C-alpha cells in the first residue's frame, strides 16, 4: 500500500504559552513521527480578521463571538506538520474536541477541561489543512 504523506495545520491556542506545556505538546507530534515543517509564534490578537476566516465554518454557531474573542486573546503557536496520514494522526494526538470527553494521553485529555479553551486546533480534513496552511502562512499548498 502506498504511503500518503500529508501536511496539516496545528495551532497551540492562547493562554498556553506560559503553562510550560509547549515542549511536551510539540514532542508528542514529533515522537509520533510527524515533522515540523514550519512553526511560528503569531499574534492573532492583532488580526481578528484572520481568526474570523480561520473559523468561518462556525460563523452561524451561538459560540462564534466567544470563540473569536478567545482566539484573539493572545499569542499562539502556528505550525505545519508533515507525515504519513498527518491529518488523522494529529487529530488523534489532540483528542476529542471536548476535553471532558478526550481520552487521557491525548493533549486535550491531559491539559484542559473547557471546550472553548481546548489547547490545540488541528485541521479536520485535507481541504481544511490546505485552506488553513494557506491562510496562516500565506502559502498556496
Ligand atoms: P477547534 O478544533 O479549534 O475548532 C472549533 C472550535 O470551536 C473548537 O476547537 C472549540 O474551541 C470551539 N467549540 C466547539 N464546540 C463548542 C461549544 N459547544 N462551545 C464553545 N466552543 C466550542
Amino acid at each position: 500500500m502506498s504511503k500518503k504523506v500529508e501536511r496539516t495545520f496545528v495551532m497551540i491556542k492562547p493562554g498556553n504559552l506560559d503553562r510550560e506545556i509547549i515542549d511536551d505538546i510539540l514532542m508528542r507530534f514529533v515522537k509520533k513521527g510527524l515533522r515540523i515543517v514550519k512553526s511560528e509564534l503569531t499574534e492573532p490578537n492583532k488580526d481578528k480578521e484572520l481568526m474570523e476566516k480561520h473559523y468561518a465554518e462556525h460563523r452561524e454557531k451561538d459560540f462564534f463571538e466567544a470563540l473569536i474573542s478567545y482566539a484573539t486573546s493572545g499569542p499562539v503557536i502556528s505550525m505545519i506538520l508533515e507525515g504519513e496520514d498527518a491529518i488523522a494522526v494529529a487529530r488523534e494526538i489532540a483528542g476529542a474536541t471536548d476535553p471532558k470527553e478526550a481520552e487521557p494521553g491525548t493533549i486535550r485529555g491531559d491539559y484542559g477541561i473547557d471546550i472553548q479553551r481546548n489547547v490545540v486546533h488541528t485541521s479536520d480534513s485535507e481541504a481544511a489543512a490546505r485552506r488553513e496552511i494557506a491562510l496562516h502562512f500565506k502559502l498556496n499548498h
Side-chain angles (χ1 to χ4, degrees):
M1 218 169 76
S2 66
K3 291 183 181 177
K4 189 164 166 221
V5 175
E6 294 175 333
R7 286 186 171 193
T8 191
F9 174 74
V10 173
M11 179 175 76
I12 304 179
K13 298 186 179 187
N16 293 297
L17 268 54
D18 56 0
R19 289 180 68 201
E20 299 190 2
I21 61 175
I22 302 301
D23 288 6
D24 179 63
I25 290 174
L26 297 180
M27 284 313 291
R28 287 177 189 223
F29 292 113
V30 171
K31 282 196 280 188
K32 183 70 178 172
L34 299 179
R35 184 171 75 86
I36 301 174
V37 176
K38 237 175 200 301
S39 71
E40 213 172 77
L41 181 78
T42 61
E43 298 187 284
N45 43 320
K46 296 175 184 157
D47 195 351
K48 189 168 178 230
E49 206 186 324
L50 175 82
M51 276 303 165
E52 286 176 343
K53 283 185 186 160
H54 174 86
Y55 282 127
E57 68 175 293
H58 299 292
R59 200 172 283 280
E60 303 306 322
K61 307 266 174 63
D62 58 358
F63 58 80
F64 184 71
E65 284 306 319
L67 178 61
I68 297 302
S69 167
Y70 163 59
T72 55
S73 65
V76 303
I77 294 176
S78 304
M79 57 194 137
I80 302 171
L81 299 184
E82 184 179 81
E84 201 178 326
D85 288 322
I87 297 164
V89 169
R91 278 167 64 76
E92 188 91 351
I93 292 169
T97 302
D98 186 348
K100 291 187 204 72
E101 286 164 16
E103 296 287 336
T106 64
I107 293 169
R108 290 164 171 165
D110 289 347
Y111 289 136
I113 201 154
D114 179 328
I115 190 165
Q116 184 175 277
R117 307 175 74 90
N118 61 355
V119 192
V120 287
H121 168 84
T122 70
S123 307
D124 64 4
S125 65
E126 282 182 47
R130 267 196 305 277
R131 189 180 73 79
E132 292 166 5
I133 287 170
L135 179 65
H136 289 265
F137 290 95
K138 322 268 186 277
L139 302 174
N140 291 311
H141 58 87

